Amino acid sequence: MELCISSTAPHRSLHSSLSRDSLSLPSCSSVRFRQTGLNFQHKLSFLSGHAHPLEPLVSPSIPRRFAASVAVGTESDRLPADIKVSEVEEPNSRVRLSVEVPPAVCEDCYRRVMKELTKQSKIPGFRPGKHVPESILLSYVGKKNVQKATVESILERTIPHAMSSVSGRALKDSVRIVTKYSDMEQAYSSQSSLRYDVIVDVAPEVKWVPEDGYKNLKIVVEIDRDIDAQEACKEELKRRHKSLGALRIVTDRGLQMGDVAVLDISATTIDQDESNVQRIPSAESKGYQFDTEDGDKVLPGFVDSIIGIRQGETKAFPLAFPESWRQEDLRGVNALFTVECKELFYRELPELDDSIAEKLLPGCTTLKEVEESLSAKCREVEETAREQATDNAILDQLRKMVEIDIPRSLFEEQGRQLYGAQLLQMQASMKLNEQQLASLSSPKAVNEYLESQKENIISIIKQNLAVGDIFKRENLQFSSEELVKEVRSSIEEFKRHKQDYDEDRIQEQVQEILEGAKVLEWLKEQAEIQYVTR
């Protein structure tokens, strides 16, 4: 049994991050957990003024106001005697703290609880706030309840002192009291002292293999052929030209390259045992309008298999899904396709010359102007895509060069932020109702996402921590003017979308993004980068 210090429920922390993480972060920069010196971004919630530290420990049999009012400020609270704390490092960047609280501290906490109960209890025959004999107060409140309140007071007062050895390293919302609460009550009752164990996640160490290997990166960046400016310009001009053509019905021949066909497609697996044959719904379609010039977007061999098919004709043929197919469960699957041609058309295109320049691109009077304008836009797209691909390749390389013992709390927070961003996208595109959103935001749904995306989440954390470590190692900097400008821009965007925001959180995120940009800029200057087209 573990008692969690944090009072934040999983789906509540998810919702609190939904509106903060999607708008202010570019796709290439996931939320990065920044560690600068000893001031790690994740702090214990009760040391930074967030959620009440011991709320989950409050016994339902004690009025909540009693337990809450016993809490004392951690910075100014001096204990009447020293507590003893032993520290043991554990896997996954965790530290176990074994705490021994002497009787003097326990007695002081007991007296504070009794004093608070005297102030708040309304005991017949006694004026509120006046002295009440201890025996009467114990009888009225209940000795068991007083013991529980005292144990909670001991924990509230001693945990911050016990945590001093991991101050600056402890991650927010990661503290767990692993000693059973019943055992603590029994120990206090019989010995008037208390022992308990606390486990806390700490900032993980980034180990580079090889050391300083990031200073001499050799990166191969693969660029999609579709992104190549020259090829993209040709394809865009071709697409615009085709849009000006008229479709004419083919009556006297079969399908040829350049034609458009309306097809009904069905597909099944191939198996010697017919009882094992299954439909492949994702490969099926009714009334599918297929342009033969888009053959590179369908299964290899599909176009060749239907060339010559006539309107009203049906063809059946086997094809194998390649190992590189985008849908993983179909890779290597042998399938039998059945295709019926419902309609068949050819295109009647106008001459590609200056006479249609205005139709191809408004504002242009010659074909050359069209080509130059499209080429400029495609070069801009290519440059953006090239930069994005370069950043991704560098981050992927960094991920492979670091060894990090990732704490569970860090994994869960990063995963929830990614899931929150995904929910935002779904909400924007599908307009989920409250019931659907509640279901997708449930602890079960979040945990399923964390498990299914475990590898991806770990990769992102490694990238983020590696970037933060480089920023610190190389003493990189950005100007305060850049920070102020970007923070203002992000806030304006939140306001434009009428979303709530936390200005401090925005500033942290912007700072993380600027740090990441500086690191990538620095790495590009140091790295040997080769571009290849795929």
Side-chain angles (χ1 to χ4, degrees), residues 320-348:
F321 287 88
E323 293 297 334
S324 59
W325 192 248
R326 55 186 173 272
Q327 192 171 333
E328 292 185 14
D329 61 335
L330 291 180
R331 292 173 183 174
V333 172
N334 292 311
L336 178 65
F337 284 82
T338 302
V339 177
E340 180 183 0
C341 181
K342 308 295 287 187
E343 297 179 83
L344 187 57
F345 305 93
Y346 70 93
R347 278 197 179 87
E348 193 173 75

Side-chain angles (χ1 to χ4, degrees), residues 11-78:
H11 76 273
R12 188 167 65 182
S13 63
L14 169 66
H15 277 85
S16 67
S17 65
L18 291 187
S19 62
R20 293 200 298 266
D21 299 323
S22 60
L23 294 178
S24 60
L25 300 178
S27 59
C28 62
S29 299
S30 302
V31 179
R32 185 158 53 76
F33 300 94
R34 175 173 49 83
Q35 183 183 11
T36 306
L38 294 178
N39 184 24
F40 200 70
Q41 174 183 338
H42 301 276
K43 302 173 185 175
L44 290 171
S45 60
F46 57 94
L47 293 180
S48 57
H50 293 298
H52 189 284
L54 296 177
E55 186 172 325
L57 299 180
V58 176
S59 170
S61 61
I62 304 178
R64 185 171 295 273
R65 64 179 183 275
F66 289 167
S69 62
V70 173
V72 181
T74 58
E75 294 181 1
S76 60
D77 185 23
R78 292 186 178 181

Side-chain angles (χ1 to χ4, degrees), residues 8 13 100 141 204 256 262 287 315 399 448 454 495 517 519 521 525:
T8 307
S13 63
E100 295 183 25
V141 177
Q256 295 180 354
V262 178
K315 278 191 174 185
R399 171 185 63 84
E448 288 176 351
K454 182 177 180 179
K495 289 180 177 178
V519 169
E521 180 182 343
E525 294 174 354

Side-chain angles (χ1 to χ4, degrees), residues 328-377:
E328 292 185 14
D329 61 335
L330 291 180
R331 292 173 183 174
V333 172
N334 292 311
L336 178 65
F337 284 82
T338 302
V339 177
E340 180 183 0
C341 181
K342 308 295 287 187
E343 297 179 83
L344 187 57
F345 305 93
Y346 70 93
R347 278 197 179 87
E348 193 173 75
L349 298 174
E351 286 294 322
L352 188 59
D353 54 27
D354 294 346
S355 64
I356 62 170
E358 173 66 25
K359 294 180 180 179
L360 290 170
L361 188 62
C364 295
T365 57
T366 66
L367 187 59
K368 184 178 181 180
E369 287 181 5
V370 173
E371 292 174 338
E372 288 176 348
S373 181
L374 291 179
S375 180
K377 292 180 180 179

Side-chain angles (χ1 to χ4, degrees), residues 304-493:
D304 292 339
S305 299
I306 63 172
I307 287 295
I309 193 172
R310 290 174 173 266
Q311 181 179 354
E313 184 181 354
T314 298
K315 278 191 174 185
F317 48 88
L319 288 177
F321 287 88
E323 293 297 334
S324 59
W325 192 248
R326 55 186 173 272
Q327 192 171 333
E328 292 185 14
D329 61 335
L330 291 180
R331 292 173 183 174
V333 172
N334 292 311
L336 178 65
F337 284 82
T338 302
V339 177
E340 180 183 0
C341 181
K342 308 295 287 187
E343 297 179 83
L344 187 57
F345 305 93
Y346 70 93
R347 278 197 179 87
E348 193 173 75
L349 298 174
E351 286 294 322
L352 188 59
D353 54 27
D354 294 346
S355 64
I356 62 170
E358 173 66 25
K359 294 180 180 179
L360 290 170
L361 188 62
C364 295
T365 57
T366 66
L367 187 59
K368 184 178 181 180
E369 287 181 5
V370 173
E371 292 174 338
E372 288 176 348
S373 181
L374 291 179
S375 180
K377 292 180 180 179
C378 289
R379 281 196 301 272
E380 185 177 324
V381 171
E382 180 189 20
E383 183 60 29
T384 301
R386 183 181 290 260
E387 286 292 318
Q388 182 74 67
T390 304
D391 290 349
N392 291 341
I394 290 175
L395 291 172
D396 189 57
Q397 186 78 352
L398 295 180
R399 171 185 63 84
K400 297 174 182 177
M401 297 176 70
V402 293
E403 293 180 358
I404 303 175
D405 200 10
I406 298 173
R408 180 67 187 180
S409 60
L410 192 58
F411 169 82
E412 289 181 352
E413 182 168 347
Q414 177 68 82
R416 287 193 174 98
Q417 288 178 345
L418 292 173
Y419 188 59
Q422 180 174 296
L423 279 188
L424 273 182
Q425 292 178 346
M426 292 175 63
Q427 174 71 349
S429 61
M430 302 172 60
K431 300 298 181 184
L432 301 173
N433 58 41
E434 289 187 12
Q435 184 176 357
Q436 291 172 320
L437 190 59
S439 175
L440 290 170
S441 302
S442 68
K444 180 182 177 182
V446 175
N447 289 333
E448 288 176 351
Y449 175 85
L450 293 178
E451 186 60 33
S452 66
Q453 295 297 313
K454 182 177 180 179
E455 189 174 327
N456 180 48
I457 295 169
I458 289 175
S459 294
I460 290 173
I461 292 174
K462 284 186 173 182
Q463 291 171 358
N464 293 340
L465 291 176
V467 167
D469 192 57
I470 294 171
F471 187 87
K472 183 176 63 175
R473 282 175 172 233
E474 301 303 326
N475 295 315
L476 302 178
Q477 296 179 344
F478 54 82
S479 68
S480 57
E481 289 79 9
E482 290 179 276
L483 179 62
V484 171
K485 178 182 177 182
E486 292 299 328
V487 168
R488 187 180 295 117
S489 175
S490 294
I491 290 176
E492 289 174 356
E493 190 164 1

Side-chain angles (χ1 to χ4, degrees), residues 24-211:
S24 60
L25 300 178
S27 59
C28 62
S29 299
S30 302
V31 179
R32 185 158 53 76
F33 300 94
R34 175 173 49 83
Q35 183 183 11
T36 306
L38 294 178
N39 184 24
F40 200 70
Q41 174 183 338
H42 301 276
K43 302 173 185 175
L44 290 171
S45 60
F46 57 94
L47 293 180
S48 57
H50 293 298
H52 189 284
L54 296 177
E55 186 172 325
L57 299 180
V58 176
S59 170
S61 61
I62 304 178
R64 185 171 295 273
R65 64 179 183 275
F66 289 167
S69 62
V70 173
V72 181
T74 58
E75 294 181 1
S76 60
D77 185 23
R78 292 186 178 181
L79 302 178
D82 292 335
I83 61 174
K84 184 179 178 181
V85 182
S86 58
E87 180 178 324
V88 178
E89 300 285 339
E90 294 196 348
N92 301 114
S93 297
R94 296 198 313 182
V95 173
R96 178 181 289 265
L97 302 174
S98 296
V99 185
E100 295 183 25
V101 185
V105 175
C106 294
E107 176 66 17
D108 188 62
C109 291
Y110 172 75
R111 291 301 167 194
R112 291 191 179 202
V113 168
M114 294 298 287
K115 183 178 180 180
E116 200 63 43
L117 290 174
T118 299
K119 290 180 181 179
Q120 298 191 24
S121 298
K122 296 180 179 180
I123 302 176
F126 293 89
R127 293 169 62 184
K130 295 299 181 179
H131 174 71
V132 179
E134 185 173 323
S135 59
I136 295 177
L137 186 59
L138 284 173
S139 177
Y140 179 77
V141 177
K143 185 176 180 180
K144 188 73 173 177
N145 287 340
V146 172
Q147 286 180 350
K148 289 182 177 180
T150 301
V151 170
E152 291 167 9
S153 176
I154 294 170
L155 293 173
E156 284 191 337
R157 293 185 66 194
T158 60
I159 284 178
H161 292 274
M163 294 292 296
S164 60
S165 63
V166 291
S167 176
R169 295 191 296 146
L171 304 191
K172 174 184 171 184
D173 295 342
S174 71
V175 183
R176 299 290 185 273
I177 300 175
V178 294
T179 305
K180 290 183 178 179
Y181 193 79
S182 58
D183 291 345
M184 289 189 284
E185 279 191 290
Q186 185 177 359
Y188 170 72
S189 176
S190 61
Q191 304 171 15
S192 296
S193 63
L194 195 64
R195 294 187 179 188
Y196 61 90
D197 282 2
V198 169
I199 286 181
V200 58
D201 290 344
V202 296
E205 178 186 358
V206 179
K207 182 180 178 181
W208 291 92
V209 182
E211 182 69 22

